[in-house]
Amino acid sequence: MQKILIANRGEIALRIIRTCRELGIESVAVYSDADQELPFVKEADSAFRIGEPPVQKSYLNSDEILRIAKEEKVDGIHPGYGFLSENADFARKVKEAGLTFIGPAPDTIEKMGDKIVARSTMEAAGVPVVPGSEQGLKTLDDAVRLAEEIGYPLMLKASGGGGGIGMVLCENEQALAKNFESTKGRAKAYFGSDEVFIEKYIKNARHVEVQIFGDSHGNHVHMFERDCSIQRRHQKVIEEAPSPFLREEARQKMYETAVTAARAVDYVNAGTVEFIVDENENFYFLEMNTRLQVEHPVTEAITGLDLVKWQIHAARGERLPLLQDEIEKKGSAIEFRLYAEDPVRFLPSPGKITEFSWEDREGVRVDAGYEAGSTVTPFYDPMVAKCIAAGGTREEAIKIAEEFFANMKLDGIKSNAPLFVEILSEEGFKSGNYTTAYLTERKLASK
């Protein structure tokens, strides 16, 4: 593989360019009119305009991306995360064009992209799933009848959903009735299907996921867990590895279950098995993400491995570089998603960045998609950078993170950096005693 097109933007495009450069692979970027001045366009070996800012006219324009790929004679396409990364039709088109899709097989993407099919597949493999629908719910009456069986509260979800979009907590029948049709409408708008389902809501839960990898020779490994419990609107903002909550017995059981899930679908390339964990460390399958995760740097920090490099190896049909007993974890790492947003109301705050700097030191990694002078536009996710602090222990990682935010300067836009400074000072976070309700409860407590 000599030349790779990156069908994405911002920090993940830069991240992939970095590994391509290390492997001696030429990188090709594509960009919309809104992004033409961003660092990833300048860093790529070559870059091509794909269209106007709206995603349907640019980063979701698969025909234009494939046209550029063929014209530039690339060998493979890396989709990053989001956009086309979990689009089975796009993965098929890439293969039909004679190119390599750097991700899992289209059939796997399709099967795991449908949350109901994914649930039944995992159940059949012996993986525990949250009590809930065995098929899509057509009517509110169907939903109410099932809700009476599994009990409230429950989560109403889009079957094709992900990233927290199309998820609503329903405390009672009135809430279910109020949200049923609107959730179907949102599911149709975002995912092209109005199919929804319900799952029992696990109280005081934690969200823990396991990084998995597979190759086309039948090898499957895990790369330990990430705790992603601190979320706003069901979207992660802080992730860490290892989880400060899990004890060793539950941790090992979760690893084995994640590998079982990977084997159940003959998984090839990078993936993540997400679990919801209750107060007693019982865990249940939530979904399998068939792509590189935003939070993959914390796994890279505790393993010393380059996951993008592993993806390219797997896509080339090679065996995994290491077997399970050769993969080691060391220390602790925490990732903070730095957004251009109001730190209290979590609303996007686009604008021009006038200053963005930090102290470059051991234990600090910043994957930034913007630099001073860049403009965060309203067209895409407003994440400015991922800030990762890594140390020998969790306490060391927290101290490094505190020093990082004390010295970091980000001006010209509002950001959620002040929120991270507050969280780092709170006993609930320092002790590791938090759940997915952490930010919600914290906001209520402050009123």
Side-chain angles (χ1 to χ4, degrees), residues 22-183:
E22 287 178 13
L23 291 173
I25 295 173
E26 199 174 332
S27 59
V28 178
V30 292
Y31 62 89
S32 75
D33 291 342
D35 287 346
Q36 58 185 327
E37 299 298 329
L38 290 190
F40 81 93
V41 179
K42 303 171 196 169
E43 284 293 316
D45 292 311
S46 56
F48 298 88
R49 175 186 181 273
I50 45 172
E52 297 173 18
V55 292
Q56 295 292 348
K57 295 182 178 180
S58 54
Y59 299 104
L60 292 182
N61 186 348
S62 58
D63 290 340
E64 181 63 5
I65 290 169
L66 281 167
R67 185 192 67 76
I68 293 169
K70 285 187 275 190
E71 198 166 289
E72 289 304 304
K73 297 182 170 53
V74 306
D75 307 299
I77 295 182
H78 195 307
Y81 54 74
F83 296 133
L84 296 167
S85 62
E86 293 181 289
N87 185 315
D89 288 340
F90 178 67
R92 284 196 185 95
K93 285 182 182 177
V94 172
K95 287 180 178 290
E96 287 165 4
L99 308 176
T100 300
F101 180 75
I102 303 175
D107 289 350
T108 306
I109 297 173
E110 200 161 64
K111 187 180 283 187
M112 293 296 100
D114 185 316
K115 301 298 179 275
I116 295 173
V117 174
R119 278 173 56 89
S120 60
T121 303
M122 291 302 126
E123 253 187 317
V127 173
V129 301
V130 181
S133 310
E134 293 180 357
Q135 55 188 8
L137 298 166
K138 301 292 184 190
T139 68
L140 176 60
D141 288 343
D142 292 340
V144 170
R145 273 195 293 274
L146 182 58
E148 287 172 356
E149 289 178 26
I150 65 174
Y152 292 95
L154 53 83
M155 294 297 290
L156 178 62
K157 297 183 174 183
S159 182
I165 298 170
M167 288 172 53
V168 183
L169 172 63
C170 299
E171 297 277 3
N172 48 45
E173 185 177 332
Q174 290 73 29
L176 179 60
K178 178 184 174 185
N179 291 294
F180 189 77
E181 289 301 329
S182 60
T183 302

Side-chain angles (χ1 to χ4, degrees), residues 188-208:
K188 179 69 175 175
Y190 278 94
F191 310 111
S193 165
D194 67 353
E195 190 170 69
V196 296
F197 68 106
I198 57 177
E199 280 180 347
K200 186 169 182 61
Y201 177 69
I202 307 294
K203 291 182 179 176
N204 299 320
R206 297 186 73 115
H207 182 128
V208 182

Side-chain angles (χ1 to χ4, degrees), residues 18 77 87 89 110 199 202 225 263 315 331 333 345 351 365 387 426:
R18 192 182 79 210
I77 295 182
N87 185 315
D89 288 340
E110 200 161 64
E199 280 180 347
I202 307 294
E225 85 279 18
R263 287 187 179 131
R345 296 181 298 163
R365 168 176 166 178
C387 312
E426 291 175 351

Side-chain angles (χ1 to χ4, degrees), residues 221-377:
V221 299
H222 69 80
M223 293 180 180
F224 316 108
E225 85 279 18
R226 299 185 287 255
D227 196 317
C228 310
S229 300
I230 296 188
Q231 306 176 355
R232 50 111 168 89
R233 296 194 298 269
H234 308 301
Q235 293 181 319
K236 306 161 189 173
V237 288
I238 297 177
E239 304 99 343
E240 62 177 305
S243 167
F245 172 69
L246 285 183
R247 287 174 294 187
E248 201 55 32
E249 186 178 350
R251 179 175 278 125
Q252 293 298 331
K253 191 175 173 185
M254 187 179 284
Y255 297 160
E256 292 168 11
T257 304
V259 172
T260 296
R263 287 187 179 131
V265 290
D266 294 325
Y267 200 89
V268 175
N269 218 283
T272 301
V273 183
E274 300 202 345
F275 297 101
I276 194 85
V277 188
D278 71 15
E279 296 169 294
N280 299 314
E281 295 182 281
N282 298 307
F283 58 86
Y284 307 92
F285 173 83
L286 271 181
E287 61 181 343
M288 181 185 286
N289 290 313
T290 53
R291 55 179 162 78
L292 192 67
Q293 293 278 101
V294 176
E295 57 270 30
H296 76 276
V298 292
T299 297
E300 294 188 323
I302 64 163
T303 62
L305 302 174
D306 181 332
L307 269 61
V308 174
K309 197 177 285 184
W310 275 55
Q311 284 192 290
I312 294 171
H313 284 305
R316 290 194 297 209
E318 299 168 5
R319 292 181 181 278
L320 296 180
L322 297 174
L323 296 178
Q324 190 66 68
D325 57 3
E326 298 172 305
I327 302 171
E328 298 179 355
K329 66 177 172 182
K330 187 177 181 182
S332 179
I334 310 172
E335 175 179 286
F336 302 82
R337 298 190 189 188
L338 188 62
Y339 283 98
E341 71 177 19
D342 183 299
V344 177
R345 296 181 298 163
F346 306 135
L347 295 175
S349 178
K352 185 172 183 176
I353 298 171
T354 55
E355 183 172 8
F356 187 24
S357 62
W358 59 88
E359 183 185 7
D360 193 10
R361 52 162 288 187
E362 187 177 355
V364 168
R365 168 176 166 178
V366 179
D367 285 10
Y370 297 85
E371 60 189 1
S374 299
T375 297
V376 180
T377 69

